[in-house]
């Protein structure tokens, strides 16, 4: 199942095999993004909502792992 990412619902849960899928093209020019980054956080962490390109330190401090893909 592919979950739609929204500003007020930014998290996607992995399935029982630890896989996830998330549609990142929610509006505007999202489909033109050249870098996409995903963060793995605890299910108990409630990250702040972020708009723009600066990732708050609190997210970085609570990240278990992350990956960035260029396309």
């Amino acid at each position: 199942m592919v979950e739609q990412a929204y500003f007020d619902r930014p998290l996607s849960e992995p399935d029982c095999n630890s896989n996830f899928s998330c549609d990142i093209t929610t509006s505007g020019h999202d489909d033109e993004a050249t870098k996409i980054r995903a963060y793995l956080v605890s299910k108990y962490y409630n990250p702040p909502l972020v708009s723009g390109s600066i990732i708050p330190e609190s997210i970085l401090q609570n990240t278990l792992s992350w990956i960035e893909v260029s396309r």
Side-chain angles (χ1 to χ4, degrees):
M1 177 171 102
V2 176
E3 293 186 34
Q4 182 75 28
Y6 290 102
F7 184 76
D8 61 346
R9 197 186 67 203
L11 301 177
S12 297
E13 289 193 33
D15 63 19
C16 62
N17 294 316
S18 298
N19 297 308
F20 78 96
S21 181
C22 180
D23 184 356
I24 62 162
T25 56
T26 57
S27 66
H29 299 281
D30 292 346
D31 60 334
E32 298 173 9
T34 58
K35 288 187 179 181
I36 300 154
R37 189 177 281 185
Y39 295 88
L40 176 64
V41 296
S42 166
K43 69 179 187 177
Y44 304 108
Y45 177 59
N46 188 17
L49 299 179
V50 178
S51 178
S53 61
I54 297 175
I55 305 300
E57 190 63 34
S58 63
I59 292 177
L60 300 176
Q61 292 171 348
N62 287 281
T63 296
L64 303 171
S65 184
W66 64 274
I67 187 169
E68 181 175 280
V69 179
S70 296
R71 59 179 186 155

